[in-house]
Structure formats: structure tokens, C-alpha cells
Amino acid sequence: MFKLLSTTGEQSIDLQPDRTIVVGRAVTSDVPIYDPTISRRHAELSLTDGGVRVKDVGSSNGTFLNGARIGEATATENDVITFGKVAFRVKEVTTPAARPQVVPPPVSAEFVGAKAAGGTIVRQLPVSVSGGVPAIVTATPSGASHLKVTAKSLEELREKKLELLLEISKELSKQQELDRLLDKVVEFTFQVMNVDRVSILLLEETSGELVPRISRARTEQSSASKHVPQSIARMVVEGRVAILSDNTAADERFKGKSILIQSVRSAMCTPLMGTDQKVLGILYVDNLTATHSFSDDDLKFLIAFGSLAAVAIENSQRSERLRREALVLSNFQRYFSPNIAQVIAQQQDAGRLPSEKRPVVIFFSDIRGFTPMSETMSPDDIATLLTEYFTEMVELVFEHGGTLDKFMGDAIMALWGAPMAHEDDADRAMRCALDQLAALERLNNKWKEQGRSELGIGIGINFGEVFAGNVGSDRRLEYTVIGDAVNTAKRLCDTAGRNEILISEPFHQQLKQSPTVEALDPIQVKGKSKKLPVYRVNR
């Protein structure tokens, strides 16, 4: 017996003998997986004597066994099966009869040094509610250090520093919004160290420049400049080193005018390093009152503190990116296929799609005779019918990588080539049209058995250059296309008969795998002096 467990541990697939399970994004799947890389009907799974039989059923993003794309294969214990980008590991399930009895060791309640079958408790410490940062720091620094922590011994000082860093880490982890987090970092810096000014600069990903995010002075008499000395900042970022300068004006490493202008006497600066050793920015502190004011211990503490701040900043940026992606994804999945929506959501300027002229495929489908038919139906029946119809038709648009432009009454307008283009956009649109007619035939058979009305549709497809972008008002924007090519596609759709596909000459020329077509009489389109050649697609 085997089962599949997702590598993230969030989902498992239980397999039963003599039963084939369908994995896919559709809610009707035996095992629905709601991920944009999963097709509606992605793969089939079944148990065999040797393991798990995996069969890809024409998914868009493929099925993989241990990294190799497969059509059909058998997976065994610890093999990894990946549907799109969602990975599962095959695990053998022990039957109840063969499951060994596990006897837990006796639990010892004895204390230090008392040995028992379960092991030895070396030390027992009470766990209390966090006392917080203010409970650790004092009003004034201790000795030569500018860190506001006092202790009777070196060991006690070390413990208090670790305790202080732990409390700071706990507090920073509560801050998800970046600006509030940076405020908290500056607040803690003043709280635990005797410094005059604190600044945080973050590296901008696109330009690679250090951008001041927050700069604050302890007193109103101190000038809280928004720029740290550039010579110090440059050395910290480029060398990935923390710097202590106890007499900055005389320091041979720094000859920048900003040091003299800002009257910097002593300064410390540490890079904010991300988990992948990428510099996120810098944390800078200085004193304006005295030279030789910082010690090596102060720098070591600043480095540790900066590391905690960097982790918190990275987590905040990641959370913000995920929130933005989720928002954009929820909006765009209504119009774009899940794969395209995911790509757009992950872009830097997600939600700001470019406005530009570009060649696209424009696709219209319209229900034939819907108005007279709807006059004999109740509003609820009309809504139910259209919901079932639109759900199936739009899923096919998405499945073939298209973009839903809009609903126009009982008509659908879709695009290929905007906002993202593929070499085979025309062929994708053509396959979508053929699949829509096949799906409609299945729907009609179901509706007929239920005694409900049947539908017929006409489809028109054109190719041409349009303006594509966000159109609308400040209160509501909509991504759409505008141009003569749109009007031509609509005219083709209006001309098409029941369950008929009409295509233009420009679209026909774009097809790499053209179906059998039949030339019809050219049609007249409003605004054009010449009639346009038209083809009917033979199914």
C-alpha cells in the first residue's frame, strides 16, 4: 500500500486498490489541487503491485517523476511525483496487521543527575513570560561600552546581551509592516545604546542604490541628517564589513566632506545581510560629542542586532510581496489564465500592465437566439444556464492560455497575445474555438436529458494590431484592447451561423496548424471600402 504526501506536508493523497484517482484543479477532481500550474484534469493515479502508476492526461505544465517529464510511469517508495510545480513523495503505508507495537519509555520526573530509562535531565529552568527589552536595559551605559546593560561579571554580561537580543528578536518578529518595523529598530537602538543619531538605508533592487528610509536624532539639538557619510556607506556595502571609527574626522579610510560637514566624531555601521548573503541595506549610528566613544564590544553587538533587523526586514518584504501577489492574483485570475496571472503577480510592477500597440488574436463567441429563448425562462433558470455555460467556456479560454477581456451580455470576448504573447497564439485560439463547440455539445446532451433548453453559438476570430492596456476612470480600470481589428472580429462573430466558426484572412495566415477551411463570400465591414475574405472552419 502506498500514499502520496506533498513535500510541504500540507496535503496527502490516499490510494485505494482497484480504483483510479484523478488529480486536477477542477473541483470535480477526486483530488483537487488549487495551484495555477495544475490543469483542470492533470493526471491519473492507481495502485499496482510494484508501486503507484502515474499517467499524465494532457496537462499543460506536465507531470514529472524524479524531475523527468513522463507520459506514464510507475513510482515506488520515496520517489517524487510533481504535478506542474506541486511535488508529492511516495510513501509506503504499513497495514495495521504488520504495524509494530511501539512502547514508550518510562517518563522520569527526577531532577538534575537522576538517570532513568528515558534519559537524564541535565538542567531544569522555569519558563516565564517575556520581561521585554525595558527590563534588561539600564538608564546609563556601563563602563567603556555604550551598551546600556550592567552586570557584575563578564559571564552575566554575556547572558544579558543574549537575553537582550532574544527580546529584541521577539519584538521585531511582531512587526509585519516595513515602516513600523524600521521605526522599531531605531527605537530599540536608542533604547539599548548611548548614540546621538541612527539611520537605516535600504538597497533598491532595480537601481542598486542606497535609499534613506529612516533617520532620527536623540535630541532636537542634533541634526538628523537623512544621509550617512557616503565614504562609510560605500565601504560597508562593497566590502560587506562592519566598521567602527572612533575618530572619524582623522580616520585615513574616510575623506568625505560629509563627515566634516555633519561633525561626526565617532561612528559605527553594519551591513544588513539577508539569508542568502545579499546586502539589504545598512544600519548606521554615530556620536557627535566625543571621539573614541565606541568599543569593539559595541560593534559586535551592533552586528548581532543588525542581523536580527535584517531577518525581520527580509520577512517583512517577503510578507508584503506575498500580500501583493495574492491581491493581484485574486484580481487577475478573473481575466487571465492561472499561469499568466501567476507570472503577472510575481512581477515588480504587478497590476501596472503596459499600455501599448501590439498584434493580438481577438476572439468573440455569442449565443444564437438567446433573447427569444430567454423570454420563456425564469430569471433563475437564465442565471443557472449562463453560469454553467460561461464557466465551461471561460475555463477553456484559460486552459489554452487566453485572456478573458469581458462578458458582453451573452457574448464572450477573449484575447491571445496580450498581455503576454506566445508564438502559437493563433493555434491556441483555434483549438479553444473547436474545444468550445465540443464542450457545448456535451452540455447540450446533459441539458436535453434534464429537459432544459439547448444552446447554439457563433464564433468569430481575427488577428491584427490594437491598443492594449488599462482603460477607464480613476475609480475603475479595465485591461482591454481597442482598434479596428476588434470590430472585424465582432463582425465575423455576428455573421457566423449556429455552431459555426468564421476566421479572417490575417488570422488564417497566422495559423501554423490550420484545420480544413472553406472560403466564403467576402463580407463588408463598417468603415472599410473593400470587402474582407472570410473562411469557415470545417470540424
Side-chain angles (χ1 to χ4, degrees):
M1 296 287 289
F2 295 91
K3 75 173 184 178
L4 271 63
L5 182 66
S6 66
T7 53
T8 60
E10 297 174 354
Q11 188 174 5
S12 64
I13 302 175
D14 295 318
L15 302 173
Q16 301 175 10
D18 304 321
R19 185 188 171 192
T20 298
I21 290 178
V22 176
V23 175
R25 197 177 73 250
V27 293
T28 54
S29 300
D30 297 316
V31 180
I33 303 175
Y34 303 114
D35 184 271
T37 63
I38 304 293
S39 296
R40 294 177 64 221
R41 183 182 172 87
H42 197 103
E44 293 179 348
L45 301 173
S46 59
L47 283 174
T48 66
D49 293 338
V52 179
R53 186 181 69 87
V54 188
K55 181 181 179 183
D56 186 273
V57 287
S59 65
S60 299
N61 292 299
T63 302
F64 302 82
L65 178 60
N66 298 327
R69 188 162 186 164
I70 59 169
E72 184 172 351
T74 299
T76 57
E77 171 77 0
N78 284 326
D79 281 344
V80 176
I81 302 170
T82 306
F83 308 105
K85 290 186 178 179
V86 182
F88 287 79
R89 188 176 295 278
V90 179
K91 291 293 183 183
E92 189 171 357
V93 180
T94 306
T95 59
R99 186 176 297 136
Q101 292 293 318
V102 178
V103 181
V107 178
S108 171
E110 299 178 43
F111 295 98
V112 180
K115 294 195 175 183
T120 301
I121 298 176
V122 177
R123 190 175 186 189
Q124 179 168 296
L125 294 174
V127 178
S128 60
V129 178
S130 170
V133 174
I136 301 170
V137 299
T138 60
T140 57
S142 60
S145 173
H146 278 244
L147 185 63
K148 298 179 181 180
V149 177
T150 58
K152 296 178 181 179
S153 66
L154 190 60
E155 182 180 355
E156 183 185 354
L157 180 61
R158 189 159 42 243
E159 286 186 1
K160 282 196 173 184
K161 284 182 179 179
L162 290 174
E163 187 181 350
L164 179 59
L165 289 170
L166 177 61
E167 294 300 333
I168 290 174
S169 176
K170 290 178 182 178
E171 292 299 319
L172 293 183
S173 66
K174 299 175 184 177
Q175 307 298 325
Q176 294 296 318
E177 200 273 319
L178 184 58
D179 287 337
R180 291 183 181 179
L181 170 64
L182 298 181
D183 273 335
K184 205 70 176 176
V185 172
V186 171
E187 178 187 325
F188 281 150
T189 307
F190 281 127
Q191 196 170 351
V192 303
M193 300 189 78
N194 187 38
V195 296
D196 292 329
R197 300 185 301 189
V198 180
S199 294
I200 298 176
L201 287 73
L202 297 183
L203 272 175
E204 195 174 63
E205 288 188 18
T206 52
S207 65
E209 294 181 359
L210 277 172
V211 178
R213 291 299 301 263
I214 186 169
S215 186
R216 200 168 293 164
R218 181 181 294 280
T219 63
E220 293 182 1
Q221 287 76 23
S222 301
S223 172
S225 171
K226 291 189 177 181
H227 294 280
V228 304
Q230 290 299 305
S231 53
I232 294 178
R234 196 162 46 246
M235 180 173 289
V236 169
V237 173
E238 293 175 359
R240 300 188 175 205
V241 294
I243 287 177
L244 184 157
S245 181
D246 56 10
N247 189 357
T248 310
D251 199 318
E252 290 294 328
R253 296 172 296 177
F254 313 120
K255 295 299 183 183
K257 293 181 180 179
S258 58
I259 291 175
L260 298 176
I261 293 173
Q262 296 183 53
S263 302
V264 178
R265 296 292 183 89
S266 301
M268 292 192 299
C269 189
T270 184
L272 300 171
M273 302 292 291
T275 52
D276 58 353
Q277 297 304 303
K278 177 182 177 183
V279 178
L280 305 177
I282 62 172
L283 171 61
Y284 170 88
V285 299
D286 65 18
N287 271 336
L288 308 178
T289 54
T291 59
H292 304 285
S293 60
F294 294 123
S295 68
D296 288 345
D297 284 343
D298 292 331
L299 182 62
K300 290 175 183 177
F301 185 85
L302 188 71
I303 292 171
F305 178 43
S307 297
L308 296 178
V311 171
I313 290 169
E314 199 169 43
N315 288 338
S316 174
Q317 291 175 335
R318 186 182 297 111
S319 297
E320 178 59 32
R321 185 176 67 252
L322 291 175
R323 283 196 297 270
R324 174 180 56 79
E325 288 180 9
L327 177 62
V328 174
L329 200 56
S330 65
N331 289 331
F332 284 3
Q333 276 186 332
R334 293 178 294 170
Y335 305 105
F336 306 124
S337 67
N339 290 344
I340 292 177
Q342 185 75 39
V343 171
I344 295 172
Q346 291 173 348
Q347 291 176 351
Q348 182 68 25
D349 295 325
R352 301 179 183 178
L353 295 174
S355 297
E356 58 189 349
K357 279 189 174 182
R358 61 190 303 163
V360 299
V361 173
I362 307 101
F363 176 109
F364 278 94
S365 67
D366 191 7
I367 298 176
R368 292 293 172 255
F370 182 74
T371 301
M373 181 180 69
S374 63
E375 292 174 354
T376 63
M377 302 170 64
S378 69
D380 286 346
D381 289 339
I382 293 173
T384 300
L385 182 72
L386 286 178
T387 298
E388 288 187 41
Y389 165 75
F390 282 140
T391 298
E392 189 68 26
M393 298 300 114
V394 170
E395 276 294 332
L396 288 170
V397 170
F398 289 165
E399 200 168 282
H400 291 283
T403 296
L404 173 65
D405 187 291
K406 62 174 68 72
F407 295 115
M408 303 166 64
D410 59 321
I412 296 172
M413 178 180 171
L415 312 170
W416 276 262
M420 299 178 66
H422 305 87
E423 291 184 359
D424 60 341
D425 277 327
D427 294 278
R428 291 173 183 235
M430 189 72 261
R431 289 194 296 271
C432 178
L434 294 169
D435 286 353
Q436 282 195 355
L437 291 183
L440 182 62
E441 188 175 341
R442 292 192 296 271
L443 286 174
N444 279 332
N445 290 335
K446 183 180 77 171
W447 292 335
K448 186 176 181 180
E449 292 174 359
Q450 297 171 349
R452 297 162 64 186
S453 301
E454 299 178 45
L455 296 181
I457 61 174
I459 298 175
I461 314 177
N462 185 33
F463 175 84
E465 189 174 72
V466 298
F467 166 83
N470 290 320
V471 176
S473 67
D474 291 338
R475 297 176 65 88
R476 179 179 174 84
L477 282 175
E478 183 179 76
Y479 186 82
T480 189
V481 294
I482 299 172
D484 182 62
V486 179
N487 301 330
T488 300
K490 184 67 170 66
R491 179 76 174 88
L492 289 170
C493 180
D494 292 341
T495 306
R498 185 183 180 90
N499 299 337
E500 189 174 64
I501 303 170
L502 297 186
I503 63 175
S504 66
E505 175 69 29
F507 175 76
H508 185 247
Q509 292 176 356
Q510 290 295 313
L511 290 170
K512 293 179 172 58
Q513 297 178 341
S514 174
T516 304
V517 298
E518 175 186 353
L520 302 180
D521 293 335
I523 61 172
Q524 186 67 54
V525 177
K526 184 178 179 181
K528 290 187 177 292
S529 57
K530 294 183 179 180
K531 292 185 176 182
L532 301 179
V534 179
Y535 299 94
R536 178 197 291 131
V537 176
N538 295 326
R539 294 195 289 151

